[in-house]
Amino acid sequence: SFGSGMAGAVLLGRRGEPAFGLSQGEAVEAFADAAGTALANAQRYARQEEATRGLESTLLPTPPAQVDGANFELWYEPAGGVLGVGGDFYDVLSRDDGSAFVVVGDICGKGAEAAALTGRVRHSLAALHLVERDGRTMLRLLNELLISGGSNRFATLVLGSIAAAESGLDVTLASGGHPAPLVLRRGGGVEEISVPGTLVGVSPQARFAEATTHLDDGDVCLLYTDGVTEARNRTESTELFGDERLYAVLEDCVGQPAREVVRRLRDEVREWLGNSGHDDIAVLAIEAAPRAE
């Protein structure tokens, strides 16, 4: 037995004299005790593994919604750990009018606690977007939620709406302390969408900004977390991938479809990292594409 339960039973058979003589009983008890401990640990691990997989199934991001005139490409790579999810997240959720709610965010820290708060934030936003369209209001409400929850963790987010225009897409984004969204213009150049805002979950006086841009067919808007720019070099851990390398990769991808942009960025960052560990990474590319007939 082990603890308050029965781990298993040992059935012994022998020929001749006991191998341990007068100590045979003690030897059998010692073996049973060690075997019971091993079996109980295996059963405990199996229960923990089942709980972990169940938690993952509720926290893993879902495939992006289908939006006419938009292609979405993703790179989602949590840091190594027990859970296959982390503090970075994304969502692309459809609305009744054919538009979509998009969000890319980063909960400070990593591991199970960050993943749990990620789930809370994602589920809160999934409900909020059904009744609220203004991104700044959504960030304000989320800010109040995080502060009142007392988690002592903060988040950075960029969120908003993607809607079909007469041609291309209208993209409206609000931000709270998040890396600025970037637009690769098919005609040439990489632009930054200026949406300054404070961290979410730190101060009741937090302020958030919102901006709207238009994507012509072939333009790509890139939302990403700082796991990209803060990736550490495989041989020199103090050297980060940084904004300059990010811009250089993207400028080389101008005119390419979103799938190729994300592939190139992923390959460059992975080459930079080598076999070294990294923080959570989430990248969402939004491409304006010809609409279905």
Side-chain angles (χ1 to χ4, degrees):
S1 64
F2 184 79
S4 59
M6 182 70 69
V10 178
L11 179 63
L12 298 177
R14 64 176 177 81
R15 287 181 175 179
E17 294 299 319
F20 294 93
L22 297 177
S23 299
Q24 181 77 3
E26 294 179 3
V28 170
E29 287 183 7
F31 171 78
D33 186 56
T37 300
L39 287 171
N41 287 340
Q43 292 169 359
R44 186 181 297 113
Y45 176 81
R47 290 193 299 269
Q48 290 174 344
E49 183 75 6
E50 182 180 3
T52 298
R53 298 289 81 81
L55 181 61
E56 277 186 355
S57 67
T58 65
L59 296 178
L60 280 171
T62 56
Q66 298 294 314
V67 177
D68 193 21
N71 290 333
F72 300 103
E73 291 294 333
L74 295 159
W75 174 24
Y76 177 68
E77 192 166 331
V82 175
L83 286 171
V85 291
D88 286 11
F89 63 95
Y90 70 86
D91 268 310
V92 180
L93 307 174
S94 61
R95 287 171 167 153
D96 291 341
D97 61 2
S99 66
F101 168 74
V102 299
V103 58
V104 170
D106 180 359
I107 303 295
C108 75
K110 53 188 176 182
E113 186 179 354
L117 188 55
T118 294
R120 185 182 178 195
V121 168
R122 287 184 58 229
H123 296 155
S124 297
L125 291 175
L128 278 174
H129 95 92
L130 297 175
V131 296
E132 179 58 61
R133 295 298 178 93
D134 184 79
R136 291 165 297 184
T137 301
M138 293 180 70
L139 288 172
R140 178 177 58 79
L141 293 172
L142 183 62
N143 186 64
E144 294 175 3
L145 176 67
L146 292 182
I147 291 174
S148 64
S151 68
N152 296 320
R153 288 181 179 268
F154 62 85
T156 72
L157 296 98
V158 58
L159 56 78
S161 297
I162 308 296
E166 288 188 9
S167 64
L169 300 170
D170 287 330
V171 180
T172 301
L173 297 172
S175 177
H178 201 78
L182 302 173
V183 176
L184 287 70
R185 296 294 181 188
R186 186 177 184 181
V190 178
E191 301 174 6
E192 178 181 296
I193 302 177
S194 179
V195 276
T198 49
L199 297 171
V200 183
V202 174
S203 169
Q205 285 77 45
R207 295 294 180 267
F208 310 108
E210 188 174 65
T212 297
T213 191
H214 180 77
L215 301 182
D216 291 320
D217 286 351
D219 290 349
V220 177
C221 179
L222 192 78
L223 312 180
Y224 63 97
T225 60
D226 61 11
V228 173
T229 51
E230 295 184 3
R232 298 183 180 276
N233 183 255
R234 61 188 181 280
T235 57
E236 182 49 67
S237 63
T238 60
E239 190 173 1
L240 306 182
F241 192 77
D243 293 328
E244 289 187 11
R245 288 184 181 84
L246 172 62
Y247 274 75
V249 172
L250 297 183
E251 286 170 354
D252 217 25
C253 291
V254 166
Q256 298 294 318
R259 178 175 298 178
E260 179 64 15
V261 174
V262 173
R263 185 195 68 78
R264 280 285 309 280
L265 180 59
R266 181 174 57 241
D267 289 350
E268 292 288 342
V269 173
R270 284 178 172 171
E271 172 66 21
W272 176 261
L273 285 165
N275 294 324
S276 59
H278 61 82
D279 289 335
D280 300 323
I281 293 173
V283 174
L284 170 63
I286 306 159
E287 178 185 13
R291 298 185 206 174
E293 295 297 333

